[in-house]
Amino acid sequence: EAKNQELATNWYREVVLSGHVDQASKYMADDYVEHDPRISGGKSGFMRYYQNASARPTVAKQITAFGQGDYVVIVWSRADKDPKSSTPYSYTTYDVVRIKNGKIQEHWNNAKQNTKW
């Protein structure tokens, strides 16, 4: 479980937050399944989506990560600004991955269609 947590958090920092999608195959299964409704097309769709810097979360601080079996949950604190008042605020979000054969097989998060991080 600790090895799975390390894989998941390294993947998120390197590929999602930093945008190094060229490193995706190091972490992700070829038949990867993405459950974020904003992203379609499996692994290649994921890579296309996160190549765009505006798609990546801008500020994220990992609060905790925990796992059981093949599943890892990562909890993040993020900062944003209210689009109307520009008032800053913080919120908590999460990502869940399922790992199979040492690669991330599936990913879920709390994203909804057409929402901003």
Side-chain angles (χ1 to χ4, degrees), residues 63-91:
I63 297 172
T64 191
F66 55 92
Q68 185 171 7
D70 295 338
Y71 292 88
V72 175
V73 177
I74 309 169
V75 181
W76 303 94
S77 173
R78 294 206 173 109
D80 208 341
K81 289 185 179 181
D82 181 285
K84 293 181 182 177
S85 68
S86 295
T87 302
Y89 66 93
S90 296
Y91 64 100

Side-chain angles (χ1 to χ4, degrees), residues 77-106:
S77 173
R78 294 206 173 109
D80 208 341
K81 289 185 179 181
D82 181 285
K84 293 181 182 177
S85 68
S86 295
T87 302
Y89 66 93
S90 296
Y91 64 100
T92 304
T93 187
Y94 67 88
D95 289 271
V96 179
V97 297
R98 181 173 68 87
I99 297 172
K100 180 179 174 185
N101 299 322
K103 299 276 187 163
I104 295 173
Q105 184 66 53
E106 291 184 81

